[in-house]
Amino acid sequence: MIPISRPLIGPEEEEAVLAVLRSGMIAQGPEVERFEAEFAALCGTRHAVAVMNGTIALYLALLAHNIGPGDEVITTPFSFIATANSILMTGATPVFVDIDPQTYNLNPDLIPAAITSRTRAIMPVHLYGQPADMAPIIEIARRYNLAIIEDAAQAVGATYRDQPVGSFGVGCFSLYATKNVTSGEGGMITTNDPAIADRLRLLRNHGSRVRYYHEILGYNFRMTDLQAAIGRAQLAKCERFTAQRIANAAFLSEHIRHPAVITPYVRPDVRHVFHQYTIRVIGNRDAAIKQLNAAGVGTAIFYPLPIPQQPLYRKLGIEAETPVADRIAREIIALPVHPALSLEELQQIAAAVNALTVHEPVLVA
């Protein structure tokens, strides 16, 4: 079975971890500081703040903007649940706006109608590695004096009109094991605002900038030097890995030719880094998945249920009309696109998709 993802860990990561172990400094230390500087340089920002994971990155970014109970944050219904949960964690309320039918990202045209007197921020998601349409989002945020918090968990190295994601507002990245750059587990927050960066560093470290002196309520959300060592080794390979992902995606889009399959649309003004390569199957998706798996092709569904339809959100009474997200969630299938794929495996994936026999599911009354 060709796996849907495959973390690529080599001797560089092994040596980096051993060096940290031998140093005796394994908690947050100089390796984290170097990782932050290198990550900020990649994103073209003045600051990067390393934290435990991507969910914590989103949570702290919201807290750094003093977002909390009574506030609203506009975001997408079509994402991993951490996007919206981070808003709930602050006591604020996520407000869901439907997605663009081509990119599956937040539809900027629908944002103004969702803005109320309680709206404090917009949280676009650069889904699957394709940047959201930031120009109109920035214009809306300026017009209504809203913060922009980018969920760039899947989009390290992506650009919008030649500007790196994570540099339009406050960027939040995940460094989970399957991400394009991993530290095993971890997150990174990027910003050009020194006041936001300072508050983020306080929040991740028990509200302390001088040991045992605590200025605000903070948390233990620090990254270790062990994680940072892995992340730095991965960051050095980021461009090579990203170029291979893009090439793999291009191969699949060129060779998949099935009348019931829609391959990913890529905006002409972005660099899509293909954390995921997702097709849409117009027909019986379950049958398609079974056939692909039988042909040795791993698959996944990102994501089978829009966030407003999740049991948690139904219990909370947080509802939204999102017909586009609802439709996409019923049709989407992710295929392997990771950098370790061979030409033979890419050919196998394309052939398996082209051989699909799918039909509209029969609805039983």
Side-chain angles (χ1 to χ4, degrees), residues 238-364:
C238 178
E239 183 54 36
R240 176 162 57 88
F241 285 172
T242 299
Q244 190 60 59
R245 285 180 177 273
I246 294 171
N248 290 349
F251 181 94
L252 292 174
S253 291
E254 180 182 353
H255 289 84
I256 290 174
R257 291 288 183 269
H258 192 295
V261 171
I262 300 171
T263 54
Y265 168 80
V266 180
R267 287 177 54 95
D269 55 354
V270 307
R271 188 193 197 204
H272 188 333
V273 296
F274 286 98
H275 173 61
Q276 301 294 348
Y277 181 92
T278 52
I279 60 172
R280 287 169 58 195
V281 173
I282 311 304
N284 191 325
R285 180 177 62 186
D286 290 344
I289 290 172
K290 288 179 181 178
Q291 291 172 43
L292 290 168
N293 293 165
V297 176
T299 59
I301 302 174
F302 305 111
Y303 299 92
L305 199 62
I307 297 173
Q309 295 182 25
Q310 293 287 346
L312 166 64
Y313 285 81
R314 288 191 178 278
K315 289 176 186 175
L316 292 173
I318 300 175
E319 300 177 348
E321 292 293 326
T322 58
V324 179
D326 295 351
R327 184 178 77 248
I328 300 301
R330 293 192 299 266
E331 298 172 348
I332 209 83
I333 301 176
L335 302 174
V337 75
H338 56 80
L341 292 170
S342 66
L343 174 60
E344 290 74 18
E345 287 173 323
L346 288 166
Q347 292 170 335
Q348 180 181 342
I349 295 165
V353 174
N354 290 333
L356 289 175
T357 55
V358 295
H359 55 275
E360 291 292 342
V362 176
L363 300 179
V364 178

Side-chain angles (χ1 to χ4, degrees), residues 25-292:
M25 172 62 79
I26 60 175
Q28 181 176 297
E31 200 71 7
V32 170
E33 198 171 320
R34 287 188 282 265
F35 187 27
E36 290 173 332
E38 291 165 1
F39 205 97
L42 176 69
C43 294
T45 58
R46 294 173 61 188
H47 305 276
V49 180
V51 293
M52 289 174 61
N53 55 57
T55 305
I56 293 302
L58 292 166
Y59 174 56
L60 292 190
L62 291 161
L63 291 185
H65 286 87
N66 297 309
I67 291 171
D71 296 330
E72 295 176 347
V73 177
I74 292 173
T75 193
T76 172
F78 195 57
S79 178
F80 181 55
I81 200 160
T83 302
N85 280 2
S86 67
I87 300 168
L88 287 183
M89 288 162 63
T90 71
T93 301
V95 174
F96 298 106
V97 167
D98 210 355
I99 60 175
D100 178 271
Q102 288 185 298
T103 66
Y104 319 142
N105 282 324
L106 193 62
N107 187 339
D109 294 340
L110 304 178
I111 293 175
I115 294 173
T116 72
S117 61
R118 299 198 299 166
T119 307
R120 294 287 311 284
I122 304 171
M123 185 184 284
V125 176
H126 306 306
L127 192 70
Y128 305 145
Q130 172 151 234
D133 190 3
M134 293 306 300
I137 292 173
I138 291 168
E139 194 278 327
I140 294 167
R142 287 176 179 162
R143 190 192 324 159
Y144 292 94
N145 193 30
L146 304 175
I148 294 176
I149 298 171
E150 300 172 65
D151 184 339
Q154 302 177 350
V156 61
T159 62
Y160 174 88
R161 299 182 182 176
D162 297 322
Q163 181 175 338
V165 300
S167 65
F168 295 93
V170 173
C172 300
F173 295 83
S174 170
L175 304 171
Y176 181 66
T178 58
K179 293 298 191 292
N180 293 21
V181 168
T182 180
S183 60
E185 184 70 273
M188 195 71 76
I189 312 170
T190 54
T191 180
N192 284 312
D193 187 331
I196 292 291
D198 182 64
R199 185 165 174 82
L200 288 168
R201 294 187 179 105
L202 286 172
L203 286 166
R204 76 166 174 192
N205 190 36
H206 288 298
S208 174
R209 70 178 83 242
V210 177
R211 197 171 189 184
Y212 302 131
Y213 290 83
H214 307 274
E215 303 174 28
I216 63 172
L217 175 63
Y219 310 90
N220 181 2
F221 289 155
R222 299 183 298 264
M223 177 183 283
T224 69
D225 267 20
L226 288 169
Q227 293 166 296
I230 297 171
R232 290 187 68 209
Q234 285 272 301
L235 207 58
K237 305 175 184 179
C238 178
E239 183 54 36
R240 176 162 57 88
F241 285 172
T242 299
Q244 190 60 59
R245 285 180 177 273
I246 294 171
N248 290 349
F251 181 94
L252 292 174
S253 291
E254 180 182 353
H255 289 84
I256 290 174
R257 291 288 183 269
H258 192 295
V261 171
I262 300 171
T263 54
Y265 168 80
V266 180
R267 287 177 54 95
D269 55 354
V270 307
R271 188 193 197 204
H272 188 333
V273 296
F274 286 98
H275 173 61
Q276 301 294 348
Y277 181 92
T278 52
I279 60 172
R280 287 169 58 195
V281 173
I282 311 304
N284 191 325
R285 180 177 62 186
D286 290 344
I289 290 172
K290 288 179 181 178
Q291 291 172 43
L292 290 168

